[in-house]
Amino acid sequence: MLTLLQHIVQDVVAAPTFQDALRVIVSEVREALGTEVCSVYLMTADRQNYLFAANEGLNPDVVGRATISVDEGLVGLVGRRAEPINLEDASQHPRYHHMPEIGEEPFNAFLGVPIIHHRQVLGVLVVQQRDKRRFDESEEAFLITLSVQLATIVAHADAVGGIRALTDANFAAGDLKFQGLAGAPGIAIGTAVVMHPVASLDAVPDKQVDNVVVELIVFDRAIGSVRDDIRRVSEQFAESLPREELALFDVYLHMLDDDALTGDVRARIRRGEWAQGALKNVIREHLRRFEQMEDPYLRERATDVEDLGLRVLAYLQDMSAHKTHFPKDTILVGEEITPSMLTNIPADALKGLVSVGGSVNSHVAILAHALDIPAVMGAIDLPIYQTDGQSLIVDGFYGEVYTNPSEALTAEYETLRSEEHDFAEELNELRDLPCITQDGWRVLLWVNIGLTGDISRSLDRGAEGIGLFRTEVPFITQDRFPTEEEQRRLYREHMEAFEPRPVTMRTLDIGGDKALPYFPITEENPFLGWRGIRVTLDHPEIFLVQVRAMLKANEGLEGVLRIMLPMISSMTEVEEATRLIEQAYQEVLEEGFNVKDPLIGVMVEVPSAVYQSRELARRVDFLAVGSNDLTQYMLAVDRNNPRVAELYQDGHPAVLRALREVARNTHAERKGLGICGELAGTPIGAVLCMAMGYQVLSMNATNLPKVKWVLRNVKRTDARRMLARVLKMETAEEIQRYMEDQLVEAGLGRVVPSYHGRVDV
Ligand code: PEP
Ligand code: MG
């Protein structure tokens, strides 16, 4: 059963078009279950009807044309109930609706299962048979299992307009929205350039070319080069390798000479495909054929075909590497964009970035931030290889990508972009003004920083201090642990630039999704594993060196050094870390440095720290809430997983109540209180935190001017009134709506996206 399922799914995935995929489904399911009829009905865009999308056994002429209402017949009932219906004699069912227009005869046995993706019914898969018989349990289970797997494929096709295209051959999907994660803020409109890692067949985009002759020449040259390589290697190893191994080279040469492989590629190129795409598709077809063979020896040959394909591809890519053209509005798109890919592009041509893999903490997202390039990470559903050369809109504020945008949508985003730009210019005037509410309440706006490039951006935007120096960033960019002196110099550079402002240095926070290339941590459950302070307490040599570097960097400066501990989940960790800091301090003094005693703080990032915030506050100088992690741990939602991105709500009532709890406890101990998660950099989050009495809001430099503008235009008394209301609310959505209304009423609608014209497609 499992093999059969796998075969069907493999064939469906391999089908060149969605229409072919549907044909494969109905034909293979019909065969597998031995039924007379198999059909797929798909929900139309207006959600009023099901399209008779594919069928075997009924009238083929109406496939792709006939529709039935969602309230009609047994198909409608399966969809509405969102569960399978298995009937021995369908004609006796009160909902039975005979449809002669699709060639339906009075079939009796009926089994329909819904195709559901993310709670939404996308269609219904049906098998029917003339005999009165009940499909047995295993048949029902088979169809359900298949439908669950097909749902992703159907959802994906739907997202790229595949279902619309079934009824309208001229339909060009436009304004399609793909959700990812907000990697770096801003809006970019431009042309997609798909980057692919060298020699990965899967990563080769499909492209049509005009100049077939050039592609044929390029392909033949690549084949020639591979052939030469193989001959050379074969000669080189002639003495040392056993005869059987050497025979493999002959097999390769034979495959290259054999028209089956190269002939197919040439045929595809003649039909207009570029050489790399043609090669990819032919290799895939061959792989599929080999993999389906029962003979293990022949199945093994699949590896050879793939290997050979990769060798040819490497040459093809080498030949075209220098030709990649970067238009002046390049939006870089890739399966996994790496920092090195950015280096190939002229700096002023790069306008945006979209990565299917990676998270907001990925190195490349951090780099995009530093370069002020809007970025979307984790756009898992984006069919990147079809986007090459297409227009794209990247909304780095909301983590959204639109492909093939219409003129109207582009115009709206252009307006939004220029509004953002004008607003930012206006906000420049606030740069040197303090952040004081209308009724005189002072809030400190500091920045989160990681790369040296952030310094000038932060100061330009009026940062009054560093609230979070993510020290892991310079660690990630190296190929070994940086030395004490290297760290000291880097930290000093920041402290001098910010002098006399305070600088909060977080001790190394690795683990989770932040790995050092030279210190790999492999775990089943990394976010609940060896992370943050847990790693550095286990490696005091790393911790001590870092703290010593921080202390020395601060020598002779007025700016206060604040050392902050990440991922604290128990008092013992604080005890141990403070002891080590004290040790480092004494050592540095003994070495003759004239350093000041630093302030020590704890990040509140896990629920246990919320409930012990009173004791923690008693023990250290300040607390700073890391709302990014606190949200993920309180709500049990992975902050980097786009599949559950909707559940990741830092404005969730539980999170806000936790923030208030921390505020009360810290105030009771009269200690410093700040917040440095993304929430602090949002207008709504900032207003609520200010109302709770957070003295320091630390955020990305980009968000700082906007937050200052909002806070300077509200009264704390009003904010406290809003907070009181909010703390009684039950959902994040309700809170969001209420706060947006409040901001609009206060004349601050410019920072409310839905208000100032953001379009929801
Ligand atoms: C946080 O968790 O909120 C935080 C500021 O730290 P990071 O995002 O670096 O984990
Ligand atoms: Mg954190």
Side-chain angles (χ1 to χ4, degrees), residues 506 509 514 531 566-567 603 605 626 628-630 639:
R506 174 168 75 185
D509 183 19
K514 288 181 281 194
R531 239 206 109 173
M567 272 294 285
M603 288 192 80
E605 303 190 273
N628 304 338
D629 276 315
L630 186 60
R639 66 193 261 190

